[in-house]
Amino acid sequence: MIPVLIGKHVVLGVTGSIACYKALDLASKLTQAGALVEVIMTHGASQFVTPLAFRSLTHRQVTTSLSCPQSEHSIEHVALAEKADVVVVAPATAHCIAKAALGLADDPLTTTLLATQAPIIIAPAMDGHMYQNPATQHNLEKLHARGMTIVGPDKGRLASGITGIGRLIETQQLIGHIRAILGRNGYLANKTIVISAGGTQEHIDPARMITNRSSGKMGYALAEAARDQGARTILISAPTSLSDPVAVQVIKVETALEMQQQVNQVASKAEALIMAAAVSDYRPKTTATRKLKKDSNSMDIELVKNPDILVETKGSMVKVGFAAESNDLIENAKLKLVQKGLDLIVANDITTPNGGFGTDTNKVVIISKNGVEENFPLMSKESVAHQILDRIRVLLDKFSPC
Ligand code: C5P
């Protein structure tokens, strides 16, 4: 379940492109995340996939015509438009885009596009030349100027066999856009949250480095959760294998010093700083410009201490740190909370099965400056992220004037 999607009416318009099969995955993932997915299919779309497939995945009626006998919405043809929290057209063909640009309303989808007051996302998918044709480009510009959000298309292999622009954007990206739009007026709207993620890399020579086992998943989950609540989110990320979250400003760094420099640039404008990154405590005093040779039986590398970014970042923002510990969890975390001048510390025992580096779950204790200690069971990192942000929100409410 994804909080920003739970109980939301997502009207999914599906038009006649081979990328319809991806819309099945989108409908399924949105439903699993808690959204109420109302599918409207054009005639062309039902040539590629059946309404039954969508109905089976969403457990809801599918609308296929303005007088659709099997649809509960058949009489009131604008019912879906009114119900919608967001309307998403994915895939959107050149033909559907052209009809929308003209304001035609000859099927349930174009009627809904005209009638709805909800935000609209258009995800084009078509042959590259059709997409690049000035007619399509002009139509997309019109829709954009009317306030619709155009996402994609991507470059890649197209159904025609050629490589070019025109692929429907990936499902996860599309869900990111839907989440961002649904959350834009959330509790953290007008707030800036800076989040660090990943394990820093300290270079020994061109081939080797000191790093750690952080996957970045906790920090990325925090960035997505902050964005979902409407925050202007800045993610300062050490190298990870994760995709950039949608609608988040991502700044890539490698070393602790680079991370500190970027945090300094943006933290003064932020209401909260969450340091989820595993920052290397030490770095090699010098980085060799050539690969070191193994010509002796031992090697000494002199290390110097990195600055503590949390301690050295000054300002009135809410500060949140993490304490990844293998022993004396609470004692060590409380000490760091005080030493680093934090408002909250998130302590996790990295020896807990499925609760440490690289996993999708985490088991944490959130300790606040005033001594409140909250012990959570093993949860998804997304859920942990929401718990942390809920507490930051309370702290920000306390500080901000009414
Ligand atoms: O002291 P320790 O590394 O365990 O503290 C962890 C917390 O401090 C994390 O939130 C981490 O991002 C932050 N930290 C930092 N600068 C460092 C080391 C850790 O901001 N040099």
Side-chain angles (χ1 to χ4, degrees):
M1 291 282 178
I2 298 174
V4 75
L5 288 169
I6 295 172
K8 296 286 166 45
H9 286 277
V10 178
V11 172
L12 174 60
V14 185
T15 71
S17 149
I18 179 61
C20 276
Y21 79 92
K22 294 185 185 170
L24 288 172
D25 184 40
L26 176 65
S28 168
K29 293 222 162 72
L30 289 170
T31 305
Q32 286 172 48
L36 307 169
V37 183
E38 315 277 3
V39 176
I40 305 176
M41 297 178 76
T42 62
H43 177 69
S46 54
Q47 308 288 303
F48 285 102
V49 287
T50 64
L52 178 63
F54 281 106
R55 203 176 75 202
S56 307
L57 291 167
T58 63
H59 316 294
R60 303 180 80 77
Q61 292 291 349
V62 172
T63 304
T64 53
S65 82
L66 280 168
S67 55
C68 189
Q70 75 271 33
S71 167
E72 58 179 297
H73 311 292
S74 56
I75 315 261
E76 205 184 336
H77 62 279
V78 291
L80 285 179
E82 279 166 13
K83 226 189 211 187
D85 291 298
V86 61
V87 179
V88 185
V89 187
T93 57
H95 182 64
C96 165
I97 289 165
K99 286 207 297 184
L102 278 175
L104 298 182
D106 64 346
D107 64 20
L109 178 57
T110 45
T111 306
T112 302
L113 290 176
L114 274 188
T116 193
Q117 299 294 301
I120 298 174
I121 299 175
I122 304 282
M126 65 197 74
D127 164 74
H129 292 122
M130 288 174 80
Y131 173 69
Q132 277 160 333
N133 190 295
T136 305
Q137 289 300 312
H138 187 56
N139 288 332
L140 283 168
E141 278 162 25
K142 271 196 199 168
L143 299 186
H144 176 67
R146 280 183 216 150
M148 299 188 196
T149 304
I150 317 295
V151 295
D154 279 345
K155 279 188 186 151
R157 191 180 182 280
L158 303 174
S160 58
I162 60 161
T163 298
I165 188 158
R167 278 170 71 91
L168 182 68
I169 71 161
E170 292 303 322
T171 302
Q172 280 313 334
Q173 296 275 103
L174 198 38
I175 292 176
H177 286 285
I178 296 169
R179 288 169 59 169
I181 282 190
L182 286 173
R184 71 202 186 293
N185 299 320
Y187 290 114
L188 294 174
N190 305 317
K191 302 274 191 284
T192 300
I193 311 265
V194 176
I195 297 159
S196 70
T200 61
Q201 299 181 345
E202 313 296 331
H203 303 284
I204 297 169
D205 69 15
R208 304 176 181 100
M209 63 195 174
I210 298 171
T211 188
N212 57 68
R213 294 175 55 209
S214 171
S215 62
K217 285 181 180 173
M218 192 62 243
Y220 276 58
L222 276 160
E224 292 191 323
R227 175 218 48 210
D228 284 0
Q229 297 196 26
R232 177 174 169 255
T233 307
I234 304 174
L235 176 64
I236 301 175
S237 178
T240 72
S241 60
L242 305 170
S243 312
D244 289 358
V246 167
V248 166
Q249 183 187 341
V250 183
I251 301 172
K252 301 273 170 76
V253 297
E254 290 185 355
T255 67
L257 290 179
E258 286 167 12
M259 183 169 277
Q260 183 184 37
Q261 194 189 7
Q262 293 301 330
V263 169
N264 282 342
Q265 296 261 325
V266 292
S268 59
K269 295 174 234 146
E271 272 80 15
L273 168 64
I274 313 175
M275 286 290 298
V279 185
S280 181
D281 293 322
Y282 294 90
R283 65 178 185 277
K285 188 172 184 188
T286 54
T287 299
T289 49
R290 292 178 173 204
K291 190 175 168 196
L292 298 175
K293 295 288 167 209
K294 49 172 182 282
D295 22 51
S296 61
N297 284 335
S298 66
M299 178 188 280
D300 290 323
I301 299 172
E302 190 181 349
L303 301 178
V304 292
K305 204 154 192 204
N306 270 327
D308 192 304
I309 303 172
L310 266 173
V311 171
E312 294 193 9
T313 306
K314 305 292 175 213
S316 59
M317 77 286 289
V318 167
K319 278 195 200 176
V320 181
F322 277 72
E325 305 290 337
S326 57
N327 55 284
D328 303 317
L329 179 69
I330 304 297
E331 218 172 79
N332 285 332
K334 281 184 171 168
L335 203 63
K336 283 179 189 171
L337 179 83
V338 175
Q339 282 172 346
K340 293 177 190 255
L342 306 179
D343 296 280
L344 292 176
I345 193 150
V346 184
N348 76 303
D349 182 343
I350 52 172
T351 63
T352 305
N354 298 320
F357 292 125
T359 61
D360 291 331
T361 49
N362 209 351
K363 186 171 178 342
V364 302
V365 183
I366 302 181
I367 309 171
S368 70
K369 181 158 83 170
N370 58 16
V372 178
E373 219 177 283
E374 294 174 280
N375 217 316
F376 293 89
L378 191 69
M379 297 192 295
S380 69
K381 286 186 174 169
E382 276 174 0
S383 300
V384 173
H386 281 280
Q387 292 294 343
I388 296 167
L389 284 164
D390 284 350
R391 278 144 195 82
I392 292 176
R393 184 157 48 97
V394 172
L395 288 171
L396 291 175
D397 282 350
K398 258 192 220 161
F399 296 144
S400 63
C402 298

